[in-house]
Amino acid sequence: MSEEFEQRSGGYVAFLVIFMGLIGLLDQSLSQIEGPLIPFILQDYGITAAEFAFWQGIYGIITFAVFIIAWVADAYGRRKGMLFLMLVLGIPALLIVFTTEGNFHWFMILYSIMILGTLSNIWEIPVAEESPPAKRALYGSIAFLIGVIPIWAFVAGPIATSIGWRWAYGIWFFFMLGLCVMWYFMKEPQRWEIEHTKRESRLLKLKEALKEMKRTDMIYVLMCTIVYSMWTISYILIRSWGAYYYMNILGWSEPQFRSILTVAALLTMVGAILSGILMEKVGRNGTMIIGCTGSVIGFIGLGITGGTTIFFFMIYLFMPIILAWIMVYFAEIFPTKIRSTAVGVSYTAVRAAYVIGPLVAFVLLIAYPTMGGFFIWGGIFMIIPLITLLIKPYETKGKVLEAVQEER
């Protein structure tokens, strides 16, 4: 460990993990809540499922701007980056409340800006930078665990049926205001301050940050892009269209679907816990293999059996294992100087999946009206991340970040 770096107190690290986890909760909730709301949105705007998927892909172009959030966190510091992220999430969520039935495209613009924020995931970076090496994966997975507490699964349906689906988004603005109070007590991570001092307090320019990226960094950027893109496309299929499948195709009522969605959402928490344990016990690579294998079985099984809930549950158990791995591994594999920017480059490339994913759903909704083959394709996509293991990615388990930077 660098002689310049002193470990934060256990109390502060605990606060930071909880705070970053709550930002993750805001992030995940605004991302996940669209699934149970889509039937209400389709009815309100009088559009078909395929039309919504098509426009979701077109407006997904806005999410390429996610790189800006990552650069702010590298150039101006993690604290300002977190504040910027919270505002990008919370303000559009409130403005959605004021859209009307005739403002579908205005809703889609606000929705896409909000989703842009949910894609940055920079809230894992301060946890990685401030955690002791032996507990970095554990603390990262705890923050992720807090982020996947399924509040959205409990509130989406009741709010949509009582005061309208728009408020299912709007209430999260007030949650964001509470987080702003916690933000006041956040300290700038020492690793960022050290790098800022080495630059003689100069602002890290975008071009300069990109030039700092070496060949090894680009290999890991490519790996992150492939894994996260395939995860995103597959998860869009289940997150956005699971409720539509059970309610509109299989004929379940909203309370019936809510019951299995609640179980599935709780399983995301189990997946987060398992991911932390697996990353510490079997390592990062083994965790990715387990997560992908379980997800493939879940997607293909759901498609073949025509909605058997055990496979629906498997998807919600194993997909979070992969996402937690993504959050932890790519927050620790890059050098501190360009960590947020490198992650930002990766996530910017992944944004193509937020254009491609809905367009894939658009094609599959037309090709498979009963949606069996629709979900099988999700399993096929989740096989692809396993191919990236051929580059033999560096195992970061138990390593100090400075050692990772030098050895990988």
Side-chain angles (χ1 to χ4, degrees):
M1 182 177 292
S2 170
E3 294 181 357
E4 302 174 277
F5 177 75
E6 296 180 5
Q7 183 62 54
R8 298 284 194 191
S9 69
Y12 176 74
V13 173
F15 160 78
L16 185 69
V17 169
I18 293 171
F19 178 39
M20 293 300 107
L22 291 175
I23 294 178
L25 179 60
L26 175 64
D27 171 328
Q28 294 286 333
S29 297
L30 289 173
S31 173
Q32 298 278 9
I33 207 168
E34 86 175 29
L37 295 182
I38 278 183
F40 296 95
I41 295 172
L42 298 182
Q43 182 179 8
D44 196 16
Y45 288 116
I47 58 176
T48 67
E51 286 174 327
F52 181 83
F54 173 78
W55 286 112
Q56 192 179 33
I58 297 302
Y59 281 103
I61 294 171
I62 292 174
T63 63
F64 279 95
V66 69
F67 185 81
I68 296 174
I69 299 176
W71 173 74
V72 167
D74 266 349
Y76 293 94
R78 310 313 191 208
R79 286 189 79 247
K80 292 179 180 177
M82 292 305 139
L83 180 60
F84 184 40
L85 170 61
M86 290 189 294
L87 294 175
V88 170
L89 290 168
I91 293 176
L94 179 64
L95 293 178
I96 283 175
V97 174
F98 302 102
T99 60
T100 63
E101 292 183 13
N103 295 136
F104 173 71
H105 292 287
W106 176 232
F107 159 70
M108 288 303 301
I109 291 171
L110 292 172
Y111 162 85
S112 298
I113 293 172
M114 184 180 66
I115 292 299
L116 179 155
T118 70
L119 304 176
S120 73
N121 299 323
I122 61 171
W123 46 270
E124 276 283 5
I125 289 176
V127 176
E129 292 179 334
E130 299 280 41
S131 297
K135 296 183 178 180
R136 191 168 57 243
L138 176 63
Y139 288 167
S141 63
I142 290 174
F144 179 72
L145 171 63
I146 296 171
V148 296
I149 295 174
I151 295 175
W152 58 272
F154 298 105
V155 304
I159 290 177
T161 54
S162 58
I163 59 176
W165 63 266
R166 291 173 178 82
W167 272 109
Y169 285 112
I171 59 169
W172 293 99
F173 170 79
F174 303 100
F175 185 82
M176 181 211 73
L177 292 180
L179 291 181
C180 288
V181 176
M182 296 185 70
W183 174 82
Y184 178 80
F185 299 98
M186 179 186 174
K187 301 175 183 178
E188 194 65 65
Q190 295 174 78
R191 284 188 168 94
W192 183 86
E193 289 183 326
I194 291 169
E195 290 297 334
H196 190 52
T197 300
K198 289 179 180 178
R199 297 198 303 266
E200 299 177 350
S201 299
R202 290 183 299 108
L203 183 65
L204 181 64
K205 296 180 180 179
L206 209 52
K207 185 177 180 181
E208 178 183 339
L210 292 173
K211 283 185 176 180
E212 290 285 347
M213 295 180 65
K214 298 178 172 58
R215 180 177 178 275
T216 305
D217 298 318
M218 295 309 300
I219 290 173
Y220 283 106
V221 164
L222 178 61
M223 180 183 180
C224 178
T225 300
I226 293 172
V227 175
Y228 202 2
S229 292
M230 293 302 102
W231 184 94
T232 298
I233 292 172
S234 295
Y235 199 60
I236 283 173
L237 299 184
I238 192 67
R239 182 199 69 191
S240 297
W241 300 106
Y244 177 81
Y245 176 55
Y246 279 97
M247 293 167 62
N248 293 63
I249 304 299
L250 299 184
W252 290 32
S253 66
E254 193 275 332
Q256 284 177 316
F257 175 71
R258 193 193 315 160
S259 67
I260 68 161
L261 181 63
T262 299
V263 174
L266 291 172
L267 285 172
T268 64
M269 299 180 66
V270 177
I273 295 171
L274 282 176
S275 187
I277 295 172
L278 289 170
M279 280 189 281
E280 295 295 357
K281 298 299 182 181
V282 304
R284 303 338 188 215
N285 296 341
T287 300
M288 202 256 273
I289 293 172
I290 293 170
C292 286
T293 302
S295 299
V296 169
I297 295 171
F299 273 108
I300 294 178
L302 185 67
I304 290 175
T305 63
T308 300
T309 54
I310 186 64
F311 294 111
F312 184 77
F313 293 151
M314 284 187 67
I315 295 171
Y316 276 87
L317 173 64
F318 286 99
M319 290 294 273
I321 291 177
I322 305 168
L323 185 58
W325 174 85
I326 290 170
M327 302 295 178
V328 170
Y329 190 68
F330 293 107
E332 63 186 2
I333 197 63
F334 296 109
T336 300
K337 183 187 299 185
I338 59 161
R339 180 169 293 118
S340 186
T341 299
V343 170
V345 170
S346 304
Y347 290 179
T348 299
V350 171
R351 289 327 104 213
Y354 267 82
V355 176
I356 297 170
L359 295 179
V360 167
F362 165 70
V363 172
L364 294 178
L365 283 166
I366 295 174
Y368 303 99
T370 59
M371 297 184 69
F374 182 95
F375 293 111
I376 290 174
W377 274 101
I380 294 172
F381 293 138
M382 286 311 302
I383 295 173
I384 298 174
L386 295 172
I387 299 174
T388 64
L389 294 175
L390 294 175
I391 70 168
K392 297 181 179 179
Y394 178 79
E395 180 56 66
T396 57
K397 173 186 170 185
K399 300 290 184 67
V400 177
L401 290 182
E402 285 72 19
V404 172
Q405 182 173 324
E406 294 173 5
E407 296 175 6
R408 52 167 203 159

